[in-house]
Amino acid sequence: MSYASATEPLRAANLIAQTPLYEVVPLSIGGRSVVSSSGFSIPCRDIARVGSDYHTIFVVAGGNPEDWKQAAGLHPALRRLSRQGVRIGGISSGSYLLAASGLLDGRDFTIHWEHAPALAEAFPKLAPRQARYVLDGDRITCGGGVAPLDMMHALIAGRMGQAFARRVSDWYLHTAVAEPGGPQRGSSAERFGTHHPALVTVLETMETTIENPLSRRDMARLAGISPRHLDRLFAEQMPAGFLESYRNIRLDHARKLLEQSPLAISEVAFATGFSSASHFSRAYKQRFGIQPKSVRA
């Protein structure tokens, strides 16, 4: 989806203009064909053979960071292209590979929300924004999915004007072009299935205090209600109580770190607010029916 959303607007721009405004050239390490997640094979040229005659290089990635270790040969190629003045972009989790190449230091950028925790643990000095896309000079990053449609609308408008970009978006029935800082996910109320303001405040705070969980009393104070009222809201509107809901949010985060980050199991335990690896392992098995070490295996 990310690849198609990024390339199709350029194809449409050529059709509408009836002239080749853009040329899309798939690249890979060694020029090997790449198989998409939906099983389609994409012929590629060797990225080692391209240079400053290219205007922009987008890195598109999905899956898990562990799968990207084989892409280590990409890093020197990206750094070389950057030095040659080529604009470098990352789509979906391509931003992770840009970070690993040292191309996002001191930059404003974004990454798909699913991989933001892994990037934060692997590159603690970097701080991605949860935006649909970010344009920062010669760095362009995008959350992926359908967000590249929004990003390409902006890039085409910058070159061909707003009216032409509108014709391209209309070609794909893309009538609601989102702003770059728009959200990547549905609202907390939609995700948690509640619209009670105090409960939404507490649940959002749970998501941002994973490493250092707050007490029920502190959460109630933050929401401006009593601890008893907080317990009543969880009992009435949530499938689990305060403690279990908080623990589940932390364990869901731990699962992403186990699957996507190089952290040791003990480090994952402490990063998600558990006092010991053994306590974490028991809670993880109770939630998912499998030990953390089995996930790694």
Side-chain angles (χ1 to χ4, degrees), residues 55-58 82 85-90 98 103-104 106-109 129 133-141 151 155:
H55 184 273
T56 305
I57 299 288
F58 282 108
S82 177
V86 177
R87 184 167 62 174
I88 306 294
L98 265 60
L103 298 178
L104 293 181
R107 297 295 190 132
D108 189 17
F109 73 98
R129 278 203 288 134
Y133 65 92
V134 175
L135 309 180
D136 185 9
D138 58 356
R139 293 291 179 274
I140 303 175
T141 51
M151 177 181 68
L155 296 180

Side-chain angles (χ1 to χ4, degrees), residues 15-276:
L15 286 171
I16 292 170
Q18 296 186 348
T19 188
L21 299 173
Y22 301 96
E23 181 183 9
V24 177
V25 181
L27 304 171
S28 69
I29 301 170
R32 296 184 296 273
S33 293
V34 174
V35 179
S36 73
S37 54
S38 52
F40 291 97
S41 181
I42 302 170
C44 296
R45 297 182 190 175
D46 188 354
I47 193 171
R49 297 180 179 274
V50 306
S52 58
D53 53 326
Y54 280 64
H55 184 273
T56 305
I57 299 288
F58 282 108
V59 181
V60 186
N64 291 326
E66 281 296 307
D67 301 331
W68 306 335
K69 289 181 179 179
Q70 60 184 332
L74 182 66
H75 305 326
L78 291 176
R79 288 192 288 265
R80 172 181 59 81
L81 289 164
S82 177
R83 290 193 300 269
Q84 292 176 342
V86 177
R87 184 167 62 174
I88 306 294
I91 296 177
S92 189
S93 303
S95 299
Y96 191 102
L97 292 170
L98 265 60
S101 300
L103 298 178
L104 293 181
D105 295 350
R107 297 295 190 132
D108 189 17
F109 73 98
T110 189
I111 190 172
H112 190 285
W113 61 265
E114 184 181 18
H115 295 298
L119 185 140
E121 294 295 342
F123 309 102
K125 293 183 179 180
L126 300 183
R129 278 203 288 134
Q130 284 300 292
R132 294 183 72 78
Y133 65 92
V134 175
L135 309 180
D136 185 9
D138 58 356
R139 293 291 179 274
I140 303 175
T141 51
C142 180
V146 298
L149 292 173
D150 304 317
M151 177 181 68
M152 287 304 174
H153 178 94
L155 296 180
I156 292 171
R159 179 184 178 186
M160 301 298 297
Q162 192 64 237
F164 183 85
R166 181 70 269 171
R167 291 176 65 192
V168 173
S169 293
D170 285 348
W171 184 280
Y172 292 109
L173 282 66
H174 182 212
T175 56
V177 179
E179 293 297 316
Q184 290 190 7
R185 307 173 70 184
S187 68
S188 299
E190 292 171 321
R191 287 189 288 111
F192 290 114
T194 178
H195 291 274
H196 194 287
L199 200 51
V200 169
T201 296
V202 169
L203 290 166
E204 289 178 337
T205 304
M206 286 178 173
E207 290 186 316
T208 59
T209 55
I210 286 173
E211 187 171 357
N212 297 297
L214 300 179
S215 68
R216 178 190 281 100
R217 185 176 298 276
D218 288 338
M219 283 287 199
R221 186 184 303 114
L222 186 67
I225 58 177
S226 69
R228 181 174 295 180
H229 188 193
L230 180 62
D231 286 337
R232 187 160 54 249
L233 287 174
F234 269 93
E236 293 173 352
Q237 301 193 30
M238 299 298 295
F242 173 86
L243 289 177
E244 186 178 352
S245 296
Y246 208 167
R247 185 171 61 249
N248 288 344
I249 287 173
R250 289 157 51 209
L251 288 169
D252 289 343
H253 185 77
R255 188 175 194 173
K256 291 178 183 177
L257 293 181
L258 285 171
E259 294 174 345
Q260 301 176 7
S261 81
L263 295 179
I265 291 176
S266 59
E267 292 174 316
V268 172
F270 296 132
T272 49
F274 288 90
S275 57
S276 67

